Amino acid sequence: DFDTHIKLINTEANVLSFSGNLSWLGSQVRDATTGNLRRLNEQPQWITNGSLDYINLALKFQVSVGVNYVGERYIAGGTDEGTINNTLVYEPYMQWDGRVKYFFKPWGSVYVNATNIFNQQYQITQGAVHESEVVGMDARVGISLTF
């Protein structure tokens, strides 16, 4: 893992920062069907996250934009009642997220949060079959209170 948090602007009224994470997942398992070492099923080799956050303290306003990247994942092929199954491959996937937040009191805020803003889909391949899995965009409006 490599994590970073950098304040790009840090004044009395404005804060702009970048946060990022890069993870390499090197776990392996010996495949019972082939005897070969392979990555764990559905575990990508790389995961990367980054976000840019801006807070205007005078206006009590925050905006955040983030991106998440998940590398290729797969479920190993094998045999099912004597029939050979091809490996199921999930292609690399990138998702954009965002948030707007207004602090109406030191103990409370209202926000709009959206994940997968551009409605990115999973691309899945198994042998000659290629499909798209619709993940969808998720938006939430809420109130956050601190007691």
Side-chain angles (χ1 to χ4, degrees), residues 12-54:
E12 212 170 283
N14 295 290
V15 178
L16 177 66
S17 62
F18 171 78
S19 297
N21 170 273
L22 173 66
S23 297
W24 177 73
L25 308 171
S27 299
Q28 294 183 331
V29 64
R30 188 159 307 278
D31 192 302
T33 304
T34 65
N36 297 329
L37 283 176
R38 63 168 173 77
R39 285 198 319 265
L40 294 174
N41 282 341
E42 296 194 45
Q43 181 179 7
Q45 190 168 8
W46 293 98
I47 297 176
T48 305
N49 306 293
S51 68
L52 196 59
D53 302 299
Y54 172 72

Side-chain angles (χ1 to χ4, degrees), residues 45-142:
Q45 190 168 8
W46 293 98
I47 297 176
T48 305
N49 306 293
S51 68
L52 196 59
D53 302 299
Y54 172 72
I55 298 175
N56 184 306
L57 299 172
L59 297 176
K60 303 176 187 173
F61 181 74
Q62 178 182 10
V63 177
S64 301
V65 175
V67 63
N68 306 297
Y69 171 83
V70 177
E72 179 183 84
R73 300 176 297 142
Y74 65 89
I75 299 174
T79 58
D80 182 17
E81 297 181 8
T83 303
I84 297 174
N85 295 328
N86 291 321
T87 300
L88 183 65
V89 179
Y90 288 78
E91 301 297 328
Y93 174 82
M94 186 164 50
Q95 166 182 310
W96 289 84
D97 305 329
R99 178 179 65 204
V100 176
K101 191 174 200 178
Y102 174 71
F103 299 89
F104 58 84
K105 293 286 183 184
W107 47 264
S109 62
V110 292
Y111 63 89
V112 175
N113 190 62
T115 57
N116 199 18
I117 294 170
F118 301 115
N119 199 20
Q120 180 66 36
Q121 300 176 8
Y122 287 119
Q123 301 301 317
I124 305 166
T125 303
Q126 187 172 26
V129 178
H130 184 80
E131 297 179 345
S132 293
E133 181 178 324
V134 177
V135 179
M137 187 206 52
D138 179 40
R140 294 179 298 280
V141 176

Side-chain angles (χ1 to χ4, degrees), residues 4 24 66 68 143-144:
T4 186
W24 177 73
N68 306 297
I143 297 174
S144 179

